[in-house]
Amino acid sequence: MNALRRVWEHFEEGFIAFLLAAMTLITFVYVILNNFYTLFYWLGDAFGGNEFLLAIGDAILDMAQAMTWSNALTKALFGWLIFFGLAYGVRTAGHIGVDALVKLAPRGVQRVIGVIACSACLGYAGLIAVGSFDWVRTLFTAGIGAEDLGHYGIQQWHIGMIVPFGYAMVFIRFLEILVRILRNEQTGLGLADEAADALKINEHEEPKQ
């Protein structure tokens, strides 16, 4: 049970790390292939037109030209990264918010405002999740292949499914916040206090001057 809890508490981080690693690897391989073949062409010419080295250069060039899918796949992975980042930001209170006036209110009032704000966020996330699910269902029915990825069996709905999934995760994370507010474990959405952050930065900078 504790292992499952840890997995759930770090669910977004795991996928974000995987997506970043995949994007970096794909881009790295593509850049290397697009520049590495010139080395073998140069060596082939340097050794009097060595056919073996020139053949290696041709093979690498063919692999680079075959990776037309790399740009489309990287963009798709980046899109998935954005929506996992939304849920991660909600869970870790990473989204920036100005709630200095709210913090001036009594604790009970802060709790009420937190419930109202959280309910509004739940409504928005739920609305987008349902609407985007209908959109993905339309793409599924159409069966349209994804840009430069269709011949690999990847369709547009495969990529677009992250939208309802991502907002469903956002909904769940806001629901967890609402439960904590109702349990008096927190009073608001946990958004960052820009004023407090600025004061902390100023305190760290003053001793250096």
Side-chain angles (χ1 to χ4, degrees), residues 74-104:
T74 302
K75 289 191 294 184
L77 293 177
F78 184 73
W80 278 60
L81 179 67
I82 291 173
F83 287 97
F84 273 107
L86 287 175
Y88 174 75
V90 172
R91 183 177 63 79
T92 61
H95 294 308
I96 298 176
V98 182
D99 58 348
L101 294 177
V102 177
K103 292 182 181 297
L104 295 176

Side-chain angles (χ1 to χ4, degrees), residues 13-86:
E13 290 101 309
F15 269 96
I16 288 173
F18 168 76
L19 293 171
L20 285 173
M23 291 168 59
T24 303
L25 180 61
I26 293 170
T27 304
F28 174 78
V29 171
Y30 183 67
V31 170
I32 289 297
L33 291 178
N34 268 286
N35 292 275
F36 201 47
Y37 69 89
T38 58
L39 172 63
F40 287 93
Y41 283 160
W42 178 81
L43 289 173
D45 292 336
F47 286 96
N50 186 288
E51 293 185 0
F52 177 71
L53 293 175
L54 293 176
I56 294 177
D58 290 337
I60 295 175
L61 178 60
D62 289 340
M63 287 189 289
Q65 291 176 339
M67 286 187 67
T68 55
W69 50 267
S70 61
N71 188 40
L73 181 57
T74 302
K75 289 191 294 184
L77 293 177
F78 184 73
W80 278 60
L81 179 67
I82 291 173
F83 287 97
F84 273 107
L86 287 175

Side-chain angles (χ1 to χ4, degrees), residues 35-203:
N35 292 275
F36 201 47
Y37 69 89
T38 58
L39 172 63
F40 287 93
Y41 283 160
W42 178 81
L43 289 173
D45 292 336
F47 286 96
N50 186 288
E51 293 185 0
F52 177 71
L53 293 175
L54 293 176
I56 294 177
D58 290 337
I60 295 175
L61 178 60
D62 289 340
M63 287 189 289
Q65 291 176 339
M67 286 187 67
T68 55
W69 50 267
S70 61
N71 188 40
L73 181 57
T74 302
K75 289 191 294 184
L77 293 177
F78 184 73
W80 278 60
L81 179 67
I82 291 173
F83 287 97
F84 273 107
L86 287 175
Y88 174 75
V90 172
R91 183 177 63 79
T92 61
H95 294 308
I96 298 176
V98 182
D99 58 348
L101 294 177
V102 177
K103 292 182 181 297
L104 295 176
R107 185 177 179 84
V109 177
Q110 290 183 31
R111 184 166 175 266
V112 172
I113 295 175
V115 171
I116 295 173
C118 196
S119 299
C121 292
L122 283 170
Y124 173 78
L127 181 64
I128 298 298
V130 172
S132 59
F133 177 79
D134 292 336
W135 168 66
V136 171
R137 186 169 56 184
T138 302
L139 291 177
F140 175 78
T141 303
I144 303 173
E147 177 188 1
D148 292 330
L149 298 172
H151 51 286
Y152 295 103
I154 301 177
Q155 298 184 349
Q156 289 186 4
W157 74 269
H158 291 138
I159 300 173
M161 64 186 296
I162 186 57
V163 181
F165 179 80
Y167 273 100
M169 286 297 302
V170 170
F171 183 90
I172 293 172
R173 294 307 186 185
F174 273 120
L175 186 61
E176 291 177 341
I177 293 174
L178 179 61
V179 171
R180 289 197 296 270
I181 293 175
L182 295 177
R183 290 178 176 176
N184 288 320
E185 295 176 2
Q186 68 182 74
T187 56
L189 300 182
L191 300 178
D193 188 340
E194 291 176 321
D197 292 341
L199 288 174
K200 289 179 181 178
I201 294 173
N202 188 47
E203 289 176 357

